Amino acid sequence: MYSFKNDYSEGAHPQILNALVETNLVQEEGYGEDQYSLQAAELIKKKMNDHNAAIHFLTGGTQTNMTAIAAFLRPHEAAVAAATGHINVHETGAIEATGHKVLAVPSGKDGKLTPAGIQSMLDAHPDEHMVKPKLVYISDTTENGAVYTKSELKAISAFCKRKNLYLYLDGARLGSALTSKANDLELSDLPKLVDAFYVGGTKNGALLGEALVICNNALKDDFRYLMKQKGAMLAKGRLTGIQFLELFRDNLFFDLAAHANTMAMKISGAIQAAGYTFLTPPVSNQIFPILPNDLLEELHQQFNFFDWEKVDENHSAARLVTSWSTKEEAVDAFIASLKEKVTR
Amino acid sequence: MYSFKNDYSEGAHPQILNALVETNLVQEEGYGEDQYSLQAAELIKKKMNDHNAAIHFLTGGTQTNMTAIAAFLRPHEAAVAAATGHINVHETGAIEATGHKVLAVPSGKDGKLTPAGIQSMLDAHPDEHMVKPKLVYISDTTENGAVYTKSELKAISAFCKRKNLYLYLDGARLGSALTSKANDLELSDLPKLVDAFYVGGTKNGALLGEALVICNNALKDDFRYLMKQKGAMLAKGRLTGIQFLELFRDNLFFDLAAHANTMAMKISGAIQAAGYTFLTPPVSNQIFPILPNDLLEELHQQFNFFDWEKVDENHSAARLVTSWSTKEEAVDAFIASLKEKVTR
Amino acid sequence: MYSFKNDYSEGAHPQILNALVETNLVQEEGYGEDQYSLQAAELIKKKMNDHNAAIHFLTGGTQTNMTAIAAFLRPHEAAVAAATGHINVHETGAIEATGHKVLAVPSGKDGKLTPAGIQSMLDAHPDEHMVKPKLVYISDTTENGAVYTKSELKAISAFCKRKNLYLYLDGARLGSALTSKANDLELSDLPKLVDAFYVGGTKNGALLGEALVICNNALKDDFRYLMKQKGAMLAKGRLTGIQFLELFRDNLFFDLAAHANTMAMKISGAIQAAGYTFLTPPVSNQIFPILPNDLLEELHQQFNFFDWEKVDENHSAARLVTSWSTKEEAVDAFIASLKEKVTR
Amino acid sequence: MYSFKNDYSEGAHPQILNALVETNLVQEEGYGEDQYSLQAAELIKKKMNDHNAAIHFLTGGTQTNMTAIAAFLRPHEAAVAAATGHINVHETGAIEATGHKVLAVPSGKDGKLTPAGIQSMLDAHPDEHMVKPKLVYISDTTENGAVYTKSELKAISAFCKRKNLYLYLDGARLGSALTSKANDLELSDLPKLVDAFYVGGTKNGALLGEALVICNNALKDDFRYLMKQKGAMLAKGRLTGIQFLELFRDNLFFDLAAHANTMAMKISGAIQAAGYTFLTPPVSNQIFPILPNDLLEELHQQFNFFDWEKVDENHSAARLVTSWSTKEEAVDAFIASLKEKVTR
């Protein structure tokens, strides 16, 4: 049964595996000081046109978020996130385990934060009897598949600068965001707008790996100490370096994400053509169609995917996720199955 | 220049890479619930003849140590380790960052703990004004290349049971320990003697990966929560599962470690034959020969390795490390070079 | 200007100060092992008819909450509280600083939790990708001046037992709760219904001091270690012991709280008689009348108190707090002033 | 039986109690913003001739140390202390519980640190695989009753400035230090030499209370947030403010400490006259005479004090502690008893 459950069901893009095989016996320095990691960092800086950034490779999203936030904040400072934000719900309290409260702003269905939402947290935390909001956490794409427009991100960025807040962007699915039809941001915009962000590899063709980019000089000192302390420094750091080298050597990172988006758009187009709507507009590799329960039940017999939430007595939203590895035949089969069931 | 600096200079054993390639496009569950991880866990349980153990795959030693110790201890409880123990020195305070003191027992050159050493910490911490020693941390091989004999480990184990202490064994180099000429332990002895330990993959042929084995039922609950919280749960958990499946499918884990040891013994034999001694008896893949400074200087021109410590005005101890991937030609070249310089 | 801002504007009840003076030069053991503390603990156990409880004296509410919760929970476990709960908002992230997430249940104006609210958090946190709700935190009186009825507390207690959750009651204002006209609980009910709670001294006549009562045997071990570690163990532990001895020697604890309630009821009666309503029914020493803004402005010229929240264009809720030390003349003056302004 | 066990066996100096009684019913702001605390802070600044310092009142030594160190350090930074330092042994891992390693320098019998000792920790922690030594913790008097001379403290201070380390002085017994015959420091020297220190009240006449003085501007920001988070902010902050106001209004703080020292010197003089020696030279209110075991046994029948350590088969060191409240008659009785037993 083909799975649209997530974007980490398979291994890595073959070109990445191939690079691992080809470099395998070269002796290199450990702990991220190998030539591959150094080259990959240079490459990413060049691609985003910021030679001042500090780049570190970590193994996963939760680890990257907790290591960065622990490095950036003093003990009484808190992170502001959408209530649906990954750090607020799906990281088993990793941020709190490093001592910091996450302040959850009630968010719309799209999972985006706004200056108004952040301001509400500043208003609610005026003095030393409460934590001090200091870092704003956003995800692009959001946990609900939405993408930030350039003007939205600029507005948040300007607000954060004005309020002396750090802006941190979780880019677990940054590839899908930057290649979305709804996007008008470029990778090179990010260093100007955020204090730090990460480029997600795990969900875009790597075996594992996230590239943390620290743009704000004030946040760079001693970051490798934090990585080591949080268990984020691989002895064979080459493993992440080599993968990011392949992703950014040419255009692989963007090509893979574009494929995932194309597959998602093909499915969402068919769903729309069949007369159904979505929880949030389908623009990235995660789509949330609202379908009749009996149709969902039938589709579940042929495909793996998650039911997301009940919408009304007879309808639920599903979550379908595509990836760099999604086969177009599987997409076509899903569409055919949908059409067949709908027209029956 | 060939490197004897460490056992993580290369990638993975080709058989492991091959397994990653072959399984690459199979769709699997995420977060360690894939078939490969489940099979690898079963296989390890079978190899150590304990079907009751809980097995989890993590990415590195520091991460494994901090996640396990944070899971096992209450806030006021401390870990007892040799002063040279990895958690005491070389993990950037990872254990303390989870809130727990490491009590360092002055250790001999071999880096081993003894019941007497542990008792000294119990004596020094009698009441609630001090932390409560609760977990004993040992490494096999130790950070100084020594191995515990069965009777030594049994003595520590019995002592810990008597004193109501957990015994935790860091097996970053367990392969080298279990295949050392000085060893009389078997993998299947460990579950009877310790409360938890890990089987190191990173330093024995894997790209990354450590298999934590929790033997004591009281320590098993909710461990996956701790993994997630500490950033130790890979979305593509298959990556560690597949590697351990290869390491333990047949005898690869032991074969690779035996090779590393054989190479180290070949070098140490030549060094002994040349009339030199060692900081600690050479029995594993880390050896510490005491050599004249000028000889060291000459060897450094041909080979990479670490100087370990000054011994007297004219002599220093070096650290030479072999691995699963050490080429016998390189070993021969080293020996030839040594002989040539010595006899010159 | 007389202050109704809070219940900690003055020092201690004179009887307590007197006891401190009288015992001042008696030599005693340090760190809570003095005779006064031991006697006070026995007395409280007797008063609540539970000789099995463990009682510890700490200095303040935040300290008591954070020490207890840190002692009771494993790293991945979370506390469930009303969104208005003291630990969620007004303790500068003290609970998170010990590593634990606080799960905030949207609460009504009364600040109470219900089994349904707790269940919503269990539903939202089903697996290891999220924290595990394990302790339920309630306050009596709540931060909004409400009190739990016996049947409400019984329902929560039964729910917690069924769901294997600890129930912890913050009794910063327990005196006011137990002597409220809306209350039908007795001190001796608490050990049967909760796993731990504290009896607040600071806000009921002591200079400082809270008596933590641990009822559940499973939560008692090594608590003094936690106290010491969190800076909660006073060298001169007699200071809290002597005070609680006075509070519970006869009936002082209840008399002082009753006085505070009586004063609050006198004010609220006059406010009601003048035709005004309340944010929540006035039943304890914190009352929240909704008054015209211009009236509030006039009252502020004679009395200190906090404005609580805007209700509509022309009305706001104020918070008036009485205490053991509130002078009836001040209450009368407030009422006279109110009447004069209203009838003018 | 009279006790020389410690300097916190009694309550507070009567003048302090009296001030508490006299101000008792004045209404004041909470949380340290009362007039007494503000005045006390101004007074201390004036006494130490540094109007730039930030002063905060906390309740005890462990709390002050952990709150300050947590406020000052980033997660990977460590405190360097003598092995006998209070934070290393006698605070139940309070510093580690905030995430920071304590690096213990083997110390002499006097418990003092030296630049050489600190340098040894810098040498041992050169890179990001280890914690970063960042704060130097010293106590004056030390845990072993010794005092730092001005030249010793200047040497440490200069070393710390050169190495970019914070210097923090634990002044639990600062009164005894500054009034010791071995002392040539003045209170006004401290702000020039250390980054932060605390003036101990608990062990010098107060019921409880330590005045933390932050001299380094870079360490001042948001300290009240940290106090609240660590449970160190008393609702009735007046309690510590009033006490320090009395201690520093005239010369009470120094008079009380001088009395304690005088009593200790009287005892130590008699012990020396009787021909006995000391573990460390007796210069403060803690003295450590080495006495025959049978003599100790006899003295224990009349006086309470701690045996400190075994010296040889027949001798042990005792610890005798005097305080502001030590009665000269008790001292005389002790001396008489000693003489009687010695000459018998």
Side-chain angles (χ1 to χ4, degrees), chain C residues 3 9-12 24 27-28 92 202 206 228 236 238, chain D residues 3 5 9-12 24 27-28 92 202 206 228 236 238:
Chain C
S3 172
S9 294
E10 292 89 357
N24 191 46
Q27 289 193 316
E28 273 293 345
T92 315
T202 304
K228 178 76 184 181
K236 295 178 181 170
R238 64 197 293 151
Chain D
S3 171
K5 281 174 79 171
S9 293
E10 291 90 357
N24 191 45
Q27 289 192 315
E28 273 293 345
T92 316
T202 304
K228 178 75 183 182
K236 295 179 181 170
R238 65 196 292 151

PDB file of all heavy atoms in Angstrom, chain C residues 3 9-12 24 27-28 92 202 206 228 236 238, chain D residues 3 5 9-12 24 27-28 92 202 206 228 236 238:
ATOM      1  N   SER C   3      -4.237  50.423  51.860  1.00  0.00           N
ATOM      2  CA  SER C   3      -4.051  49.546  50.712  1.00  0.00           C
ATOM      3  C   SER C   3      -4.881  48.260  50.809  1.00  0.00           C
ATOM      4  O   SER C   3      -4.856  47.564  51.828  1.00  0.00           O
ATOM      5  CB  SER C   3      -2.573  49.162  50.600  1.00  0.00           C
ATOM      6  OG  SER C   3      -2.415  48.170  49.617  1.00  0.00           O
ATOM      7  N   SER C   9       0.978  42.973  52.636  1.00  0.00           N
ATOM      8  CA  SER C   9       1.481  44.344  52.822  1.00  0.00           C
ATOM      9  C   SER C   9       2.072  44.583  54.203  1.00  0.00           C
ATOM     10  O   SER C   9       2.882  45.486  54.380  1.00  0.00           O
ATOM     11  CB  SER C   9       0.345  45.351  52.608  1.00  0.00           C
ATOM     12  OG  SER C   9      -0.086  45.335  51.283  1.00  0.00           O
ATOM     13  N   GLU C  10       1.634  43.806  55.198  1.00  0.00           N
ATOM     14  CA  GLU C  10       2.143  43.987  56.548  1.00  0.00           C
ATOM     15  C   GLU C  10       3.105  42.857  56.910  1.00  0.00           C
ATOM     16  O   GLU C  10       3.380  41.991  56.104  1.00  0.00           O
ATOM     17  CB  GLU C  10       0.973  44.023  57.558  1.00  0.00           C
ATOM     18  CG  GLU C  10       0.089  45.254  57.439  1.00  0.00           C
ATOM     19  CD  GLU C  10      -1.055  45.043  56.453  1.00  0.00           C
ATOM     20  OE1 GLU C  10      -1.115  43.956  55.830  1.00  0.00           O
ATOM     21  OE2 GLU C  10      -1.898  45.961  56.304  1.00  0.00           O
ATOM     22  N   GLY C  11       3.580  42.881  58.136  1.00  0.00           N
ATOM     23  CA  GLY C  11       4.464  41.819  58.619  1.00  0.00           C
ATOM     24  C   GLY C  11       3.664  40.594  59.055  1.00  0.00           C
ATOM     25  O   GLY C  11       2.872  40.062  58.274  1.00  0.00           O
ATOM     26  N   ALA C  12       3.873  40.178  60.312  1.00  0.00           N
ATOM     27  CA  ALA C  12       3.223  38.956  60.801  1.00  0.00           C
ATOM     28  C   ALA C  12       2.247  39.276  61.925  1.00  0.00           C
ATOM     29  O   ALA C  12       2.306  40.336  62.554  1.00  0.00           O
ATOM     30  CB  ALA C  12       4.279  37.981  61.304  1.00  0.00           C
ATOM     31  N   ASN C  24      13.855  33.254  70.929  1.00  0.00           N
ATOM     32  CA  ASN C  24      14.980  33.717  70.123  1.00  0.00           C
ATOM     33  C   ASN C  24      16.341  33.150  70.519  1.00  0.00           C
ATOM     34  O   ASN C  24      17.155  32.804  69.668  1.00  0.00           O
ATOM     35  CB  ASN C  24      15.033  35.251  70.160  1.00  0.00           C
ATOM     36  CG  ASN C  24      16.011  35.817  69.143  1.00  0.00           C
ATOM     37  OD1 ASN C  24      16.016  35.384  67.997  1.00  0.00           O
ATOM     38  ND2 ASN C  24      16.829  36.772  69.557  1.00  0.00           N
ATOM     39  N   GLN C  27      18.999  27.617  71.810  1.00  0.00           N
ATOM     40  CA  GLN C  27      19.816  26.982  70.765  1.00  0.00           C
ATOM     41  C   GLN C  27      19.081  25.766  70.193  1.00  0.00           C
ATOM     42  O   GLN C  27      18.566  24.937  70.947  1.00  0.00           O
ATOM     43  CB  GLN C  27      21.158  26.545  71.346  1.00  0.00           C
ATOM     44  CG  GLN C  27      22.085  27.715  71.674  1.00  0.00           C
ATOM     45  CD  GLN C  27      23.498  27.244  71.949  1.00  0.00           C
ATOM     46  OE1 GLN C  27      23.699  26.263  72.655  1.00  0.00           O
ATOM     47  NE2 GLN C  27      24.479  27.939  71.383  1.00  0.00           N
ATOM     48  N   GLU C  28      19.070  25.697  68.892  1.00  0.00           N
ATOM     49  CA  GLU C  28      18.336  24.612  68.237  1.00  0.00           C
ATOM     50  C   GLU C  28      19.124  24.068  67.049  1.00  0.00           C
ATOM     51  O   GLU C  28      20.020  24.725  66.531  1.00  0.00           O
ATOM     52  CB  GLU C  28      16.975  25.152  67.721  1.00  0.00           C
ATOM     53  CG  GLU C  28      15.859  25.101  68.757  1.00  0.00           C
ATOM     54  CD  GLU C  28      15.462  23.675  69.112  1.00  0.00           C
ATOM     55  OE1 GLU C  28      15.827  22.742  68.372  1.00  0.00           O
ATOM     56  OE2 GLU C  28      14.797  23.516  70.161  1.00  0.00           O
ATOM     57  N   THR C  92       7.355  33.237  36.578  1.00  0.00           N
ATOM     58  CA  THR C  92       8.525  33.469  35.708  1.00  0.00           C
ATOM     59  C   THR C  92       9.118  32.158  35.176  1.00  0.00           C
ATOM     60  O   THR C  92      10.335  31.970  35.113  1.00  0.00           O
ATOM     61  CB  THR C  92       9.600  34.291  36.451  1.00  0.00           C
ATOM     62  OG1 THR C  92       8.951  35.376  37.140  1.00  0.00           O
ATOM     63  CG2 THR C  92      10.593  34.920  35.486  1.00  0.00           C
ATOM     64  N   THR C 202       2.415  32.680  54.313  1.00  0.00           N
ATOM     65  CA  THR C 202       2.796  34.047  53.946  1.00  0.00           C
ATOM     66  C   THR C 202       1.585  34.962  53.826  1.00  0.00           C
ATOM     67  O   THR C 202       1.607  36.107  54.287  1.00  0.00           O
ATOM     68  CB  THR C 202       3.560  34.047  52.597  1.00  0.00           C
ATOM     69  OG1 THR C 202       4.687  33.183  52.693  1.00  0.00           O
ATOM     70  CG2 THR C 202       4.033  35.457  52.253  1.00  0.00           C
ATOM     71  N   ALA C 206       1.817  34.918  58.509  1.00  0.00           N
ATOM     72  CA  ALA C 206       3.223  34.652  58.792  1.00  0.00           C
ATOM     73  C   ALA C 206       4.109  35.667  58.066  1.00  0.00           C
ATOM     74  O   ALA C 206       3.677  36.309  57.108  1.00  0.00           O
ATOM     75  CB  ALA C 206       3.593  33.234  58.352  1.00  0.00           C
ATOM     76  N   LYS C 228      16.951  21.189  49.665  1.00  0.00           N
ATOM     77  CA  LYS C 228      18.301  21.762  49.734  1.00  0.00           C
ATOM     78  C   LYS C 228      18.755  22.203  48.347  1.00  0.00           C
ATOM     79  O   LYS C 228      19.298  23.306  48.169  1.00  0.00           O
ATOM     80  CB  LYS C 228      19.254  20.715  50.311  1.00  0.00           C
ATOM     81  CG  LYS C 228      20.695  21.174  50.401  1.00  0.00           C
ATOM     82  CD  LYS C 228      20.927  22.131  51.545  1.00  0.00           C
ATOM     83  CE  LYS C 228      22.362  22.648  51.568  1.00  0.00           C
ATOM     84  NZ  LYS C 228      22.613  23.561  52.667  1.00  0.00           N
ATOM     85  N   LYS C 236      18.233  28.543  59.536  1.00  0.00           N
ATOM     86  CA  LYS C 236      17.396  28.725  60.732  1.00  0.00           C
ATOM     87  C   LYS C 236      15.958  28.304  60.419  1.00  0.00           C
ATOM     88  O   LYS C 236      15.037  29.126  60.347  1.00  0.00           O
ATOM     89  CB  LYS C 236      17.465  30.181  61.192  1.00  0.00           C
ATOM     90  CG  LYS C 236      18.873  30.575  61.666  1.00  0.00           C
ATOM     91  CD  LYS C 236      18.991  32.015  62.083  1.00  0.00           C
ATOM     92  CE  LYS C 236      20.434  32.316  62.518  1.00  0.00           C
ATOM     93  NZ  LYS C 236      20.690  33.767  62.720  1.00  0.00           N
ATOM     94  N   ARG C 238      13.959  27.035  62.186  1.00  0.00           N
ATOM     95  CA  ARG C 238      13.059  27.396  63.275  1.00  0.00           C
ATOM     96  C   ARG C 238      12.116  28.528  62.876  1.00  0.00           C
ATOM     97  O   ARG C 238      11.001  28.629  63.384  1.00  0.00           O
ATOM     98  CB  ARG C 238      13.880  27.835  64.480  1.00  0.00           C
ATOM     99  CG  ARG C 238      14.682  29.107  64.185  1.00  0.00           C
ATOM    100  CD  ARG C 238      15.798  29.389  65.153  1.00  0.00           C
ATOM    101  NE  ARG C 238      15.337  29.721  66.486  1.00  0.00           N
ATOM    102  CZ  ARG C 238      16.043  29.473  67.578  1.00  0.00           C
ATOM    103  NH1 ARG C 238      17.240  28.899  67.478  1.00  0.00           N
ATOM    104  NH2 ARG C 238      15.580  29.795  68.760  1.00  0.00           N
TER     105      ARG C 238
ATOM    106  N   SER D   3      26.037  24.733  72.745  1.00  0.00           N
ATOM    107  CA  SER D   3      26.438  24.276  71.416  1.00  0.00           C
ATOM    108  C   SER D   3      27.407  25.232  70.728  1.00  0.00           C
ATOM    109  O   SER D   3      27.159  26.434  70.639  1.00  0.00           O
ATOM    110  CB  SER D   3      25.188  24.120  70.543  1.00  0.00           C
ATOM    111  OG  SER D   3      25.564  23.891  69.208  1.00  0.00           O
ATOM    112  N   LYS D   5      28.215  24.184  67.630  1.00  0.00           N
ATOM    113  CA  LYS D   5      28.094  23.439  66.372  1.00  0.00           C
ATOM    114  C   LYS D   5      28.072  24.334  65.142  1.00  0.00           C
ATOM    115  O   LYS D   5      28.563  23.976  64.086  1.00  0.00           O
ATOM    116  CB  LYS D   5      26.798  22.609  66.366  1.00  0.00           C
ATOM    117  CG  LYS D   5      26.894  21.314  67.155  1.00  0.00           C
ATOM    118  CD  LYS D   5      25.564  20.610  67.227  1.00  0.00           C
ATOM    119  CE  LYS D   5      25.239  19.844  65.959  1.00  0.00           C
ATOM    120  NZ  LYS D   5      24.036  18.993  66.147  1.00  0.00           N
ATOM    121  N   SER D   9      22.377  28.637  65.345  1.00  0.00           N
ATOM    122  CA  SER D   9      21.595  27.911  66.359  1.00  0.00           C
ATOM    123  C   SER D   9      20.525  28.768  67.013  1.00  0.00           C
ATOM    124  O   SER D   9      19.555  28.238  67.542  1.00  0.00           O
ATOM    125  CB  SER D   9      22.528  27.398  67.471  1.00  0.00           C
ATOM    126  OG  SER D   9      23.384  26.417  66.968  1.00  0.00           O
ATOM    127  N   GLU D  10      20.746  30.072  67.032  1.00  0.00           N
ATOM    128  CA  GLU D  10      19.763  30.953  67.669  1.00  0.00           C
ATOM    129  C   GLU D  10      18.979  31.708  66.601  1.00  0.00           C
ATOM    130  O   GLU D  10      19.176  31.514  65.411  1.00  0.00           O
ATOM    131  CB  GLU D  10      20.478  31.957  68.594  1.00  0.00           C
ATOM    132  CG  GLU D  10      21.103  31.316  69.833  1.00  0.00           C
ATOM    133  CD  GLU D  10      22.534  30.877  69.588  1.00  0.00           C
ATOM    134  OE1 GLU D  10      23.013  31.012  68.436  1.00  0.00           O
ATOM    135  OE2 GLU D  10      23.191  30.386  70.533  1.00  0.00           O
ATOM    136  N   GLY D  11      18.107  32.603  67.075  1.00  0.00           N
ATOM    137  CA  GLY D  11      17.325  33.426  66.155  1.00  0.00           C
ATOM    138  C   GLY D  11      18.140  34.615  65.662  1.00  0.00           C
ATOM    139  O   GLY D  11      19.232  34.448  65.114  1.00  0.00           O
ATOM    140  N   ALA D  12      17.588  35.824  65.869  1.00  0.00           N
ATOM    141  CA  ALA D  12      18.241  37.030  65.357  1.00  0.00           C
ATOM    142  C   ALA D  12      18.696  37.919  66.495  1.00  0.00           C
ATOM    143  O   ALA D  12      18.236  37.809  67.636  1.00  0.00           O
ATOM    144  CB  ALA D  12      17.270  37.797  64.470  1.00  0.00           C
ATOM    145  N   ASN D  24       6.011  46.405  62.033  1.00  0.00           N
ATOM    146  CA  ASN D  24       5.168  45.283  61.624  1.00  0.00           C
ATOM    147  C   ASN D  24       3.893  45.669  60.888  1.00  0.00           C
ATOM    148  O   ASN D  24       3.515  45.018  59.915  1.00  0.00           O
ATOM    149  CB  ASN D  24       4.823  44.441  62.856  1.00  0.00           C
ATOM    150  CG  ASN D  24       4.181  43.116  62.485  1.00  0.00           C
ATOM    151  OD1 ASN D  24       4.651  42.448  61.578  1.00  0.00           O
ATOM    152  ND2 ASN D  24       3.109  42.763  63.175  1.00  0.00           N
ATOM    153  N   GLN D  27       2.039  49.360  56.169  1.00  0.00           N
ATOM    154  CA  GLN D  27       1.773  48.724  54.870  1.00  0.00           C
ATOM    155  C   GLN D  27       2.875  49.097  53.868  1.00  0.00           C
ATOM    156  O   GLN D  27       3.239  50.260  53.745  1.00  0.00           O
ATOM    157  CB  GLN D  27       0.417  49.189  54.322  1.00  0.00           C
ATOM    158  CG  GLN D  27      -0.766  48.609  55.100  1.00  0.00           C
ATOM    159  CD  GLN D  27      -2.071  48.840  54.361  1.00  0.00           C
ATOM    160  OE1 GLN D  27      -2.318  49.944  53.872  1.00  0.00           O
ATOM    161  NE2 GLN D  27      -2.914  47.827  54.292  1.00  0.00           N
ATOM    162  N   GLU D  28       3.355  48.091  53.184  1.00  0.00           N
ATOM    163  CA  GLU D  28       4.458  48.317  52.243  1.00  0.00           C
ATOM    164  C   GLU D  28       4.241  47.530  50.948  1.00  0.00           C
ATOM    165  O   GLU D  28       3.469  46.578  50.911  1.00  0.00           O
ATOM    166  CB  GLU D  28       5.790  47.854  52.885  1.00  0.00           C
ATOM    167  CG  GLU D  28       6.462  48.923  53.733  1.00  0.00           C
ATOM    168  CD  GLU D  28       6.960  50.100  52.910  1.00  0.00           C
ATOM    169  OE1 GLU D  28       7.056  49.983  51.674  1.00  0.00           O
ATOM    170  OE2 GLU D  28       7.244  51.152  53.519  1.00  0.00           O
ATOM    171  N   THR D  92      23.906  20.090  47.505  1.00  0.00           N
ATOM    172  CA  THR D  92      23.098  19.048  46.859  1.00  0.00           C
ATOM    173  C   THR D  92      22.993  19.264  45.352  1.00  0.00           C
ATOM    174  O   THR D  92      21.925  19.090  44.746  1.00  0.00           O
ATOM    175  CB  THR D  92      21.698  18.977  47.508  1.00  0.00           C
ATOM    176  OG1 THR D  92      21.836  19.044  48.935  1.00  0.00           O
ATOM    177  CG2 THR D  92      21.008  17.647  47.192  1.00  0.00           C
ATOM    178  N   THR D 202      22.409  35.552  57.422  1.00  0.00           N
ATOM    179  CA  THR D 202      21.923  34.409  58.213  1.00  0.00           C
ATOM    180  C   THR D 202      22.907  34.013  59.309  1.00  0.00           C
ATOM    181  O   THR D 202      22.509  33.726  60.439  1.00  0.00           O
ATOM    182  CB  THR D 202      21.680  33.187  57.294  1.00  0.00           C
ATOM    183  OG1 THR D 202      20.775  33.559  56.257  1.00  0.00           O
ATOM    184  CG2 THR D 202      21.115  32.015  58.074  1.00  0.00           C
ATOM    185  N   ALA D 206      21.080  37.766  61.475  1.00  0.00           N
ATOM    186  CA  ALA D 206      19.736  37.871  60.910  1.00  0.00           C
ATOM    187  C   ALA D 206      18.991  36.547  61.057  1.00  0.00           C
ATOM    188  O   ALA D 206      19.601  35.499  61.264  1.00  0.00           O
ATOM    189  CB  ALA D 206      19.823  38.262  59.442  1.00  0.00           C
ATOM    190  N   LYS D 228      12.812  35.640  40.907  1.00  0.00           N
ATOM    191  CA  LYS D 228      11.435  35.124  40.943  1.00  0.00           C
ATOM    192  C   LYS D 228      11.412  33.673  40.464  1.00  0.00           C
ATOM    193  O   LYS D 228      10.763  32.813  41.064  1.00  0.00           O
ATOM    194  CB  LYS D 228      10.552  36.004  40.053  1.00  0.00           C
ATOM    195  CG  LYS D 228       9.103  35.552  39.957  1.00  0.00           C
ATOM    196  CD  LYS D 228       8.321  35.866  41.220  1.00  0.00           C
ATOM    197  CE  LYS D 228       6.905  35.340  41.133  1.00  0.00           C
ATOM    198  NZ  LYS D 228       6.111  35.656  42.304  1.00  0.00           N
ATOM    199  N   LYS D 236       6.837  39.138  51.165  1.00  0.00           N
ATOM    200  CA  LYS D 236       7.151  40.144  52.186  1.00  0.00           C
ATOM    201  C   LYS D 236       8.654  40.408  52.190  1.00  0.00           C
ATOM    202  O   LYS D 236       9.379  40.061  53.135  1.00  0.00           O
ATOM    203  CB  LYS D 236       6.657  39.674  53.552  1.00  0.00           C
ATOM    204  CG  LYS D 236       5.119  39.558  53.604  1.00  0.00           C
ATOM    205  CD  LYS D 236       4.597  39.062  54.939  1.00  0.00           C
ATOM    206  CE  LYS D 236       3.065  38.960  54.888  1.00  0.00           C
ATOM    207  NZ  LYS D 236       2.491  38.270  56.055  1.00  0.00           N
ATOM    208  N   ARG D 238      10.135  42.936  52.736  1.00  0.00           N
ATOM    209  CA  ARG D 238      10.507  43.762  53.876  1.00  0.00           C
ATOM    210  C   ARG D 238      11.299  42.971  54.907  1.00  0.00           C
ATOM    211  O   ARG D 238      12.130  43.531  55.623  1.00  0.00           O
ATOM    212  CB  ARG D 238       9.246  44.324  54.517  1.00  0.00           C
ATOM    213  CG  ARG D 238       8.378  43.214  55.117  1.00  0.00           C
ATOM    214  CD  ARG D 238       6.958  43.614  55.424  1.00  0.00           C
ATOM    215  NE  ARG D 238       6.857  44.561  56.509  1.00  0.00           N
ATOM    216  CZ  ARG D 238       5.886  45.459  56.617  1.00  0.00           C
ATOM    217  NH1 ARG D 238       4.937  45.506  55.681  1.00  0.00           N
ATOM    218  NH2 ARG D 238       5.833  46.289  57.626  1.00  0.00           N
TER     219      ARG D 238
END
